[in-house]
Amino acid sequence: MRSFKQGFGIIAAVGALLVAGCGSTDSGKASTGAEHAETPVTPPLLSAPARDLDQPFSFNAGGAVIRPDGSVELPLDQYDAWEAQRLTARARSVLADQCLRAKGLELPDVLRNRTDFASPPATTLYGVISFDIARIYGYRQPPSSVEQENPAQGSSPNISPEVAAEYFEDRVRGKSGCIGEAREKLDETRPREAYLFVQRLRGRSQEEARQDQRVKEATARWSSCMKASGLAYNNPLEPAHDKSLLGKGLPLPSGAALPPPSPEEVTAAVTDIRCKRQTQYLETVTLVTAAYQGELIRSNQRALDDGQIQWEAQSQRAQAVLAH
């Protein structure tokens, strides 16, 4: 297998990363980019691959951050308005609880402070990243606070049918429910649109990165590394969907969708991370994605700034509810 410097070269020396610019964003919509001139963006220099592939992974360059716990930070993340979302979730719970109490019911803890919006976890974009997670969960997602705070309608035994009927929206019957009424009182429409706009830009940056030749080459190197260990996958997203690997050889617990992680799955996940480190797959993907996101931010700055204003106003509405 070719070394990183042979196959990929120093990113800055290979040439400028060409990304499509975006036009006017007065309409609040992300452009497709097909009609715009290309703008050169040069990601920074990449260092040589780590020699000790089993050490916790940490990377910070060019607007891309990867932490040992597997979390990833990219330029568009600054527009997710997490603090405003948390305030809104608390205020929404207060209003929903008031609505339920008026009906002789009470908001259960499992529905309290639910965060409506969340960015996808890093593993859904880049595959498994953290050795600590891989050695316990293999290719599975560890339990997260977002999942615990956002149960599907009627999925929790802690939600009675009476509460579920009054709390959740029922669009088929045209019923907003207590949660819908809370959202209306908080006037969440424009902040929600701002959130979705950021998600569209994020999705576009990811698609642009997937089509980038540097990412394609890094993916091919990762695949070759995996095949050298007897694991045939075309890209890092495939193993997590390989049912012949997930929980291989272990019995399926009653009511579970998959068997627990098997030794084979854990070994594959650990090998996966080692191959990512050996080929600098993660550095490549995050650097390229960060470059595309940076250009999208510059081209959509007005709409993104307006979204921040909407979230600030949302925070003020939420604080007014919480102050009473």
Side-chain angles (χ1 to χ4, degrees):
M1 182 175 62
R2 296 179 300 174
S3 70
F4 174 80
K5 289 188 177 180
Q6 290 173 328
F8 187 81
I10 298 175
I11 279 190
V14 171
L17 170 65
L18 297 178
V19 298
C22 302
S24 173
T25 59
D26 291 349
S27 62
K29 295 181 179 179
S31 153
T32 61
E35 70 278 18
H36 299 101
E38 292 179 333
T39 303
V41 178
T42 306
L45 187 73
L46 284 180
S47 61
R51 293 184 177 181
D52 189 345
L53 303 180
D54 289 327
Q55 287 298 309
F57 182 71
S58 181
F59 178 74
N60 187 344
V65 179
I66 308 174
R67 302 182 183 89
D69 65 358
S71 61
V72 175
E73 183 179 331
L74 291 168
L76 276 171
D77 295 354
Q78 64 187 297
Y79 296 99
D80 283 328
W82 289 116
E83 183 57 33
Q85 289 194 44
R86 284 189 285 268
L87 282 172
T88 302
R90 288 172 55 200
R92 193 186 300 122
S93 289
V94 168
L95 294 173
D97 193 30
Q98 292 173 357
C99 173
L100 286 172
R101 287 181 183 277
K103 302 174 186 295
L105 301 168
E106 185 176 349
L107 185 69
D109 288 342
V110 72
L111 293 177
R112 198 172 297 277
N113 299 335
R114 299 176 73 222
T115 303
D116 274 8
F117 312 130
S119 297
T123 49
T124 64
L125 303 178
Y126 310 116
V128 66
I129 294 175
S130 166
F131 279 119
D132 288 342
I133 293 175
R135 289 183 175 119
I136 298 174
Y137 299 101
Y139 282 101
R140 323 301 174 83
Q141 282 292 319
S144 70
S145 59
V146 171
E147 291 172 349
Q148 293 168 359
E149 292 176 1
N150 294 275
Q153 180 170 340
S155 65
S156 172
N158 297 317
I159 305 175
S160 69
E162 293 80 11
V163 169
E166 296 294 342
Y167 176 86
F168 291 105
E169 295 180 273
D170 188 341
R171 296 182 181 180
V172 175
R173 298 181 180 179
K175 184 179 178 181
S176 61
C178 286
I179 187 61
E181 291 180 17
R183 291 190 181 109
E184 290 173 8
K185 288 181 179 179
L186 285 167
D187 193 15
E188 295 186 37
T189 300
R190 295 195 70 182
R192 182 181 293 269
E193 290 173 352
Y195 169 82
L196 294 175
F197 179 70
V198 173
Q199 296 311 303
R200 288 195 294 272
L201 293 183
R202 182 175 279 123
R204 178 178 165 188
S205 71
Q206 292 164 5
E207 182 57 31
E208 296 279 9
R210 276 192 289 268
Q211 298 302 320
D212 190 278
Q213 186 61 32
R214 279 166 282 265
V215 172
K216 290 181 178 179
E217 291 174 359
T219 303
R221 290 193 301 275
W222 172 88
S223 180
S224 295
C225 178
M226 292 288 280
K227 286 177 182 176
S229 296
L231 299 163
Y233 297 106
N234 293 319
N235 63 69
L237 301 185
E238 286 187 356
H241 300 282
D242 182 3
K243 292 185 178 180
S244 67
L245 172 67
L246 302 184
K248 185 176 183 180
L250 296 180
L252 180 66
S254 177
L258 288 170
S262 65
E264 290 83 358
E265 180 182 341
V266 168
T267 297
V270 170
T271 301
D272 185 336
I273 299 175
R274 287 173 180 159
C275 283
K276 287 189 176 91
R277 299 205 62 190
Q278 183 175 332
T279 62
Q280 288 196 311
Y281 173 85
L282 292 171
E283 296 97 313
T284 302
V285 175
T286 52
L287 274 174
V288 172
T289 304
Y292 281 115
Q293 288 195 4
E295 183 60 24
L296 285 168
I297 289 171
R298 286 186 288 273
S299 299
N300 292 275
Q301 194 67 68
R302 180 181 296 181
L304 290 167
D305 289 345
D306 181 68
Q308 295 294 88
I309 292 172
Q310 298 304 322
W311 277 115
E312 289 173 7
Q314 181 68 58
S315 292
Q316 294 174 4
R317 292 193 292 272
Q319 287 170 341
V321 170
L322 296 171
H324 289 82

